Structure formats: C-alpha cells, structure tokens
Amino acid sequence: MRTRPLKVALLGCGVVGSEVARIMTTHADDLAARIGAPVELAGVAVRRPDKVREGIPAELITTDATALVKRDDVDVVVEVIGGVEPARTLITTAFEHGASVVSANKALLAQDGANLYAAAEKHGQDLYYEAAVAGAIPLIRPLRESLAGDKINRVMGIVNGTTNFILDKMDTSGAGYSEALDEATALGYAEADPTADVEGFDAAAKAAILAGIAFHTRVRLDDVYREGMTEVTAADFASARQMGCTIKLLAICERAADGGSVTARVHPAMIPLSHPLASVREAYNAVFVEADAAGQLMFYGPGAGGAPTASAVLGDLVAVCRNKLNEANGPGESAYTQLPVSSMGEVVTRYHISLDVADKPGVLAQVATVFAEHGVSIDTVRQHVRQDGDGEASLVVVTHRAPDAALSGTVEALRKLDTVRGVASIMRVEGE
C-alpha cells in the first residue's frame, strides 16, 4: 500500500458534507485498504466558520474555497454545496489544478454537464456524480458502465422522496395535499420552501441526467417537460383506485419507437398497482429501467438524507482515488448519438380525463365526437349522476395511447362545449 495519503478537499459541510467527513474519519482504515492508499481531508470549505463541527479539526475549516481547490497537494475535490455558482467555477478550477471531482450537484450537471465533462477531459481528470440522482441507490454507474453494452429504451422512476411521501400519505390516509405536505415538513422530508420538489424542478434535473446517460445524447434541463403535483386531489386518488391504480410523480425518459429521438418528462401519473413502482412507499426512491438485452431492472432504496447520499459520494471517492493511483480515468461523457429531444406534444401516452357535464341526453355523443375529431380513441367511459340535484353528472374518460398534442387539443375542444361545465382533472396513465 502506498503510504502517502491522497488528499481530499471538501466543499460544503452541511447534512451531506458532515456525513462524508464523518465516514472518512471513522472508516479511514477500511477506505485505505479498499483504495490502496490512505485518504485524508486537506480542508473543508464552509460559509460559517464559527459553527461547531464535531470531529473536524478547526484548522481544516476555511471560507476560501477557491484557494482550497487550487492547492497543489489536493487530489480530489468533493463538491456538496449545490447550486450553479460558485460550484461550477470551483469545479472547473479544481480540474485546472489537477484534481478530480466528485459532485452531488444535480442542478449544475443538468444545466452544464457537457462543459464540465469537457473541462475534466481537457485536464485529464475524473467527474463522478452518483449522489446527484437517487441518493444511495447505485444507478448512475450501472447505467453508464454495467449497461454500456446494452440499448436502454426507457427509464421511469420516482426520484424525489418528498413528493412520494406526500402522494403516499394522500393515498393511504385520505389526507389532502396541504395536510400531507405539513406532515412531510414536520418530519423533515420537505423544505420550508418545497417548490423545487412539489413543482418537479428537482426531478426534472435528475431526468435530464438520466436521459443523457441512458441514450448517449445531451439532454439539458430546459429539454425536460415539467409538471408539478400540487393539483393532485383526493378525488384523483379515488378515480385511480377505481382503475386499480395509484398516483406517483414520475420522471420518464424514453427513446422513440423508431430510435430517432428521445424525450424526458416529469409529471404526476396513474400507474397500475401491479407495477413495481406502485409499491414504493414513504420517502423512498425507485427507478425502473427497460433495456433490449437486460430486460426490466428495478433500482430501489433511500433517495435522500445525509448518510445515504454520503454513501454514494464515498463510493465515487473510492473509484476516483483508485483511478488516481493507477494513473487512469473513468468513463467520460458519452453523447455520440446526438439524438434530438422531442417536445412533449410528440409523446404518445394515455389520458384519464374527468369532466363535469350537463345531465341530459346526447352529452356522451358530443364528447365522443370531439375525441374522434382529434384522432383520439376512447378506451373506457364512466358516468354517474350527482345526488345534489344540480343537473350535473361526472363523466370519466380513459383514452388509448395517442400523441400528447392530440390529447391536449381534445381537452381544449371539450372546454368549449356548452354541455361541459368544467374539466375536473386531467392525468396521464403510465406503466401499462
């Protein structure tokens, strides 16, 4: 074993960073045995130096992150501060000064991953980011290494624990959205401002990363269709149960049937209870992968939290340090296909549409005519008359698969019918 330690600069010492530092200290002997050389912290960059950080010597704490990543003795930089800047500048500076990088920064990778890869390649360094998607679940490395010889056609998953917790509570307890969100906040699953989670921004960044790796093409955050889950109601869950389904916020990355393009999207969807993703409870994550040779694969586990995310960071750290010792590099960007990213309107999917309609003859015929005019075939129809005597009925239509643009056009035309009093809910149906 080499006696000179590999030096690690840690950027950020919050929930994840503090766990990384703790594991590096408590498991130092095991890490050294696995890597082939000792690893030790060269410094820890923080914003608040006066905060007590148990287990980290005060002399390692610095507020000058730039000076830390420029040090000649730093071999690896671990970035867990998040956000686009200053993380992007710090990472590229680390590459320029001969350090490889381990990052958990999904937002930066989704927005500027291509440039980061290019900077790493230019300076002969590694860029690893297992912790950026699905926490402790080994997912990035299987996609870009274990399945590198296969053709991946679809990646569909629950990649945000906060939204899954909320939807699970709405399903199992009958709670409304606000009530379930309050519980998630009290338990620490939701931030004080949950917008990034519940509006799908977090999941969209992860979808961009997954699509890029799975399909060997560049997919940016702006390419991902995004729809939040704040409008999901108890009535939606009731309708889902009638269909033998539940509701999840899904990140879906697909290769077109002809192989000529890809799509990436995030939105709530009904999925059959028989699908493996339907049984994912609480704040857990799970990703379902469909490939030509491997078939269907499921990756499941805790998708967030200090210790689980730190586990993924440390896994990358071991791999990068081994590469340093062997004077080698891991896989870089694979974007050789250069496939175009299609718009949401071109996605072929199914819809569950709930309408408030006038309770009188001929309404169903009018509704069916609108679907036919837009080339959308109806699978099933359910109608029941309301008991409040207001002369209205509820009409639920489930379609066959059709281009999303045709389905959206159908809904807009339905809104214009005099006999349609309102569109109560619209939801896509997936996983069948």
Side-chain angles (χ1 to χ4, degrees):
M1 180 185 293
R2 193 181 85 165
T3 56
R4 186 182 74 80
L6 291 157
K7 296 280 192 174
V8 178
L10 178 60
L11 307 182
C13 198
V15 174
V16 176
S18 59
E19 280 295 311
V20 170
R22 181 188 67 79
I23 295 172
M24 284 185 63
T25 302
T26 57
H27 294 179
D29 292 342
D30 286 338
L31 290 173
R34 295 166 191 170
I35 292 169
V39 290
E40 63 180 41
L41 284 172
V44 181
V46 300
R47 287 184 299 174
R48 297 187 295 275
D50 297 332
K51 182 179 178 180
V52 176
R53 293 172 173 85
E54 186 177 347
I56 301 177
E59 61 268 21
L60 293 182
I61 301 296
T62 179
T63 57
D64 194 344
T66 301
L68 179 60
V69 301
K70 286 183 175 180
R71 280 175 45 175
D72 292 337
D73 62 336
V74 169
D75 299 288
V76 183
V77 170
V78 173
E79 182 271 311
V80 288
I81 57 177
V84 174
E85 287 292 355
R88 174 168 48 197
T89 299
L90 291 171
I91 288 174
T92 54
T93 301
F95 291 144
E96 292 166 1
H97 287 78
S100 289
V101 173
V102 173
S103 176
N105 197 329
K106 54 187 172 289
L108 176 57
L109 288 160
Q111 179 172 312
D112 207 24
N115 287 329
L116 295 182
Y117 267 126
E121 182 179 5
K122 177 181 178 181
H123 298 286
Q125 303 302 321
D126 277 331
L127 173 63
Y128 275 55
Y129 48 91
E130 184 67 63
V133 181
I137 304 172
L139 181 61
I140 300 299
R141 193 170 293 126
L143 287 178
R144 72 174 184 171
E145 296 181 34
S146 303
L147 296 173
D150 207 340
K151 179 184 177 184
I152 297 174
N153 297 308
R154 196 173 202 233
V155 179
M156 180 172 76
I158 299 163
V159 294
N160 183 277
T162 300
T163 55
N164 198 58
F165 180 89
I166 292 170
L167 292 172
D168 181 48
K169 290 301 175 184
M170 292 176 68
D171 187 19
T172 58
S173 71
Y177 167 76
S178 297
E179 184 181 354
L181 174 59
D182 288 344
E183 184 175 354
T185 304
L187 292 173
Y189 292 128
E191 301 288 344
D193 180 1
T195 302
D197 295 323
V198 300
E199 294 296 349
F201 291 101
D202 175 84
K206 295 170 182 176
I209 294 170
L210 292 175
I213 296 171
F215 306 132
H216 304 278
T217 198
R218 288 178 178 170
V219 179
R220 289 170 50 88
L221 181 58
D222 292 344
D223 296 322
V224 181
Y225 172 83
R226 177 193 56 78
E227 186 179 314
M229 43 76 71
T230 57
E231 300 301 317
V232 177
T233 66
D236 292 325
F237 275 103
S239 293
R241 282 190 288 273
Q242 290 180 338
M243 290 179 59
C245 292
T246 188
I247 299 171
K248 299 291 185 183
L249 184 74
L250 298 178
I252 304 172
C253 312
E254 291 180 305
R255 189 189 300 269
D258 62 4
S261 64
V262 300
T263 58
R265 50 196 167 103
V266 169
H267 55 73
M270 295 182 179
I271 58 172
L273 295 175
S274 58
H275 195 283
L277 290 176
S279 61
V280 178
R281 301 286 308 281
E282 300 285 332
Y284 278 79
N285 283 193
V287 177
F288 199 73
V289 177
E290 299 175 28
D292 272 2
Q296 297 179 335
L297 306 171
M298 175 93 155
F299 299 84
Y300 169 84
T309 306
S311 171
V313 170
L314 267 295
D316 279 351
L317 179 62
V318 169
V320 169
C321 286
R322 286 171 176 169
N323 291 343
K324 282 284 183 181
L325 291 180
N326 294 323
E327 298 182 351
N329 290 113
E333 183 185 30
S334 177
Y336 72 92
T337 62
Q338 299 183 16
L339 295 172
V341 182
S342 298
S343 68
M344 185 63 192
E346 298 175 70
V347 172
V348 177
T349 187
R350 299 179 67 199
Y351 265 26
H352 175 284
I353 305 170
S354 180
L355 304 171
D356 295 328
V357 299
D359 179 23
K360 62 181 183 180
V363 172
L364 181 56
Q366 288 183 330
V367 168
T369 298
V370 170
F371 278 91
E373 289 173 346
H374 287 81
V376 178
S377 178
I378 295 175
D379 182 16
T380 62
V381 177
R382 299 195 313 273
Q383 181 174 348
H384 70 269
V385 178
R386 294 183 177 176
Q387 301 301 313
D388 50 15
D390 60 0
E392 290 189 0
S394 294
L395 184 66
V396 175
V397 179
V398 180
T399 73
H400 286 292
R401 291 170 62 83
D404 199 81
L407 289 162
S408 297
T410 301
V411 172
E412 289 307 307
L414 289 171
R415 294 182 192 274
K416 297 177 182 179
L417 291 178
D418 291 339
T419 51
V420 173
R421 306 292 169 76
V423 179
S425 70
I426 309 167
M427 192 165 296
R428 295 171 183 88
V429 182
E430 300 286 345
E432 295 181 307

